[in-house]
Amino acid sequence: MPLPCITPKTKKAPAIAGAYVISFSGHFQKRLTQLFGDTILLLVAVLWGFGFVAVKIGLNNGVGTYYLLSLRFLVATLVLLPFERSSLSAIPPRTLRGGVFLGVLLFLAFLFQTSGLARTTTANNAFLTSVNVILVPFLAWASTGRKVPLKGFLSAFLTLAGIGLLTLERDFSINSGDLLTLVCAVMFAGHIVGTSRYAKEAAIRTLVFLQMATALVLSVAMALLGGEIQPLEPSSLAAILYLGFFSTLAAFFLQTLGQKHAHPSKAAVLLSTESLFGALFAILVFRDPLTVRVFWGGLLVFAGVLLAESPGLSRRPASSKPTREAA
């Protein structure tokens, strides 16, 4: 009787195991990259938070708003200029348009914010500026056709509630300053969405340089028209150097880098924690009291950040639609 034919076993199990290891490694690397981007954006929020202290020092010493903006953008532009001078003639047209477009949005955001602050309270100004957290998902959806997960909206509203507790007084009312600040929020939201788009296609340093240079030109023009050029006190100079290098150059460079790996609505939530850090630095530097509102507001802000960190928001929905030109 012939022996049965025995087919040798294939090596499917090791192959499957190897594929699983590769898949797991790729997923882990992707999550690590996303965590890096999120950490970078949180650091930006810290730099911006301390910027409230620096701005207050400068304004308390009598530095004009547009003069202060001119100097902070001047510092940032001068630091970047030696690295970009040799490549200025070779900047791709699309990168040039994107950098100028983002620079205009950045300048307009600060312009409407400071103009609104002259006509409303600081708390209302900070709260209404943070409305960009809610606007970002809608602008991203409108400009790219990419749907935002439900958690993006929930985390944005949760963070906004926390910012309201941190900054908003009971006698909230709408006036011309509040309306100007709402325009500022639209500009900041547009800047976040635009940065998320152009950062994927352009060199980060070049994109940041173009933004700083554009905002510098516009700020200097406003300062000259307003007659705000004046000598500076040492404390004002230190504050402006911080604003120019850390709160402007470093912060926007890191923002552009971090937004390469984060969803626009998630980036908005992380960046909005600058209000929390601003409150904390005000307590430490100016001895502002730690109130119940500050505590619960900070808790809500971090709850929004934790919700934004959940895996559901980290997935980027694929879109078959071509993106429309932003500029």
Side-chain angles (χ1 to χ4, degrees):
M1 184 176 181
L3 294 175
C5 179
I6 301 176
T7 304
K9 294 183 179 180
T10 61
K11 298 182 179 181
K12 288 185 178 181
I16 294 175
Y20 177 79
V21 170
I22 294 175
S23 176
F24 176 79
S25 176
H27 177 74
F28 177 76
Q29 184 177 6
K30 181 179 179 181
R31 288 296 299 162
L32 193 62
T33 301
Q34 291 174 344
L35 180 61
F36 170 77
D38 296 344
T39 303
I40 290 296
L41 293 177
L42 198 60
L43 176 59
V44 172
V46 174
L47 295 175
W48 283 348
F50 193 78
F52 285 110
V53 175
V55 169
K56 186 173 183 179
I57 292 174
L59 294 178
N60 286 347
N61 289 336
V63 181
T65 300
Y66 300 113
Y67 186 36
L68 190 148
L69 290 178
S70 300
L71 292 172
R72 72 184 294 180
F73 287 123
L74 175 63
V75 172
T77 303
L78 289 179
V79 171
L80 280 176
L81 183 58
F83 302 98
E84 291 295 321
R85 184 168 51 184
S86 60
S87 60
L88 289 178
S89 59
I91 297 178
R94 181 173 174 80
T95 299
L96 179 61
R97 293 196 304 267
V100 172
F101 173 66
L102 293 177
V104 171
L105 285 179
L106 189 64
F107 167 75
L108 290 176
F110 280 114
L111 172 62
F112 284 109
Q113 184 184 51
T114 51
S115 298
L117 184 57
R119 298 170 176 84
T120 188
T121 64
T122 303
N124 281 18
N125 189 256
F127 175 73
L128 293 173
T129 298
S130 300
V131 169
N132 72 79
V133 176
I134 291 179
L135 297 176
V136 163
F138 295 96
L139 290 181
W141 196 344
S143 63
T144 66
R146 181 173 56 189
K147 294 183 178 180
V148 180
L150 179 60
K151 288 183 180 180
F153 293 95
L154 294 179
S155 62
F157 278 105
L158 190 59
T159 303
L160 187 60
I163 293 173
L165 281 176
L166 284 170
T167 61
L168 187 63
E169 298 295 337
R170 293 181 179 179
D171 57 350
F172 178 77
S173 60
I174 297 293
N175 57 35
S176 60
D178 294 333
L179 293 177
L180 288 172
T181 309
L182 282 173
V183 178
C184 148
V186 175
M187 296 301 166
F188 273 127
H191 184 268
I192 290 175
V193 174
T195 300
S196 293
R197 178 181 181 181
Y198 287 107
K200 296 177 176 63
E201 307 170 353
I204 295 176
R205 191 177 63 195
T206 300
L207 193 62
V208 172
F209 173 79
L210 291 172
Q211 292 182 68
M212 298 301 109
T214 301
L216 169 63
V217 171
L218 296 174
S219 299
V220 169
M222 293 297 298
L224 292 174
L225 289 174
E228 295 183 352
I229 309 300
Q230 61 185 31
L232 297 175
E233 296 183 6
S235 59
S236 298
L237 181 59
I240 289 171
L241 287 176
Y242 174 85
L243 289 172
F245 185 79
F246 291 102
S247 193
T248 303
L249 175 61
F252 283 105
F253 180 86
L254 293 174
Q255 178 196 0
T256 308
L257 175 63
Q259 285 190 233
K260 275 194 169 185
H261 312 292
H263 194 283
S265 61
K266 187 176 184 180
V269 171
L270 292 170
L271 294 174
S272 71
T273 58
E274 68 169 304
S275 296
L276 171 63
F277 291 114
L280 292 176
F281 289 133
I283 293 172
L284 295 175
V285 177
F286 298 117
R287 300 290 188 248
D288 289 355
L290 178 60
T291 63
V292 175
R293 290 178 58 199
V294 171
F295 174 80
W296 286 107
L299 188 63
L300 282 174
V301 168
F302 274 114
V305 172
L306 291 177
L307 180 59
E309 286 292 335
S310 62
L313 186 57
S314 298
R315 301 190 188 98
R316 297 184 180 183
S319 174
S320 58
K321 300 179 182 179
T323 56
R324 295 197 296 268
E325 290 291 334

